[in-house]
Amino acid sequence: MKIFLLIILYIFQSSIIFPQKVSTITFENWKDNSWQNSMRQTNVFDSSGYLITTLTELWDTSLKHYYKWMRISYINNEDSAVRESITQTFNVMDSSWINFQRLTYESAPHAPAPAKG
């Protein structure tokens, strides 16, 4: 559970730190006096430049490759703000995505401009 929470924190942190259109983020940990692969996050944008999918893959140290772990799909509203996100985990047994979590976002109403006077 601790690993899962750390990974979620990394993903959240990367979306806050890198608001620009970053296609791939590679996470590495310092171990045995060198940087070791840990995780890779790949972002997909639509033709308007809005983030629509984030794929997170974990590094398999024995097989030396990344494997699918989690996918977040974003649904935007008319003004391009995220309206909903669906998180899925990858089932290696049948190569399918399993729904894990759905978040619904509501924007705060815009405050009226202060009256001049």
Side-chain angles (χ1 to χ4, degrees):
M1 182 67 171
K2 181 180 177 183
I3 296 293
F4 178 75
L5 292 175
L6 285 174
I7 290 170
I8 295 299
L9 176 64
Y10 283 140
I11 292 168
F12 177 74
Q13 181 182 32
S14 67
S15 66
I16 299 298
I17 294 173
F18 303 109
Q20 70 272 22
K21 293 175 180 65
V22 175
S23 60
T24 305
I25 302 170
T26 303
F27 297 84
E28 298 174 308
N29 297 321
W30 185 255
K31 184 178 177 184
D32 299 328
N33 291 319
S34 67
W35 291 108
Q36 306 290 319
N37 288 335
S38 170
M39 180 174 70
R40 179 172 62 193
Q41 178 180 325
T42 304
N43 296 314
V44 178
F45 300 88
D46 67 12
S47 61
S48 298
Y50 301 119
L51 180 64
I52 56 173
T53 305
T54 298
L55 173 66
T56 303
E57 299 169 289
L58 301 179
W59 180 254
D60 186 317
T61 55
S62 59
L63 298 175
K64 306 288 187 208
H65 73 84
Y66 287 100
Y67 61 92
K68 294 175 188 174
W69 179 68
M70 185 173 64
R71 174 174 72 182
I72 304 174
S73 300
Y74 301 94
I75 300 166
N76 299 308
N77 61 23
E78 301 78 36
D79 67 352
S80 75
V82 174
R83 183 186 71 205
E84 182 177 286
S85 65
I86 298 172
T87 303
Q88 299 172 305
T89 56
F90 191 71
N91 181 347
V92 294
M93 301 303 284
D94 65 0
S95 296
S96 67
W97 290 100
I98 300 170
N99 288 336
F100 174 73
Q101 181 180 57
R102 180 174 73 176
L103 301 176
T104 303
Y105 305 84
E106 291 186 33
S107 299
H110 296 289
K116 294 183 179 180

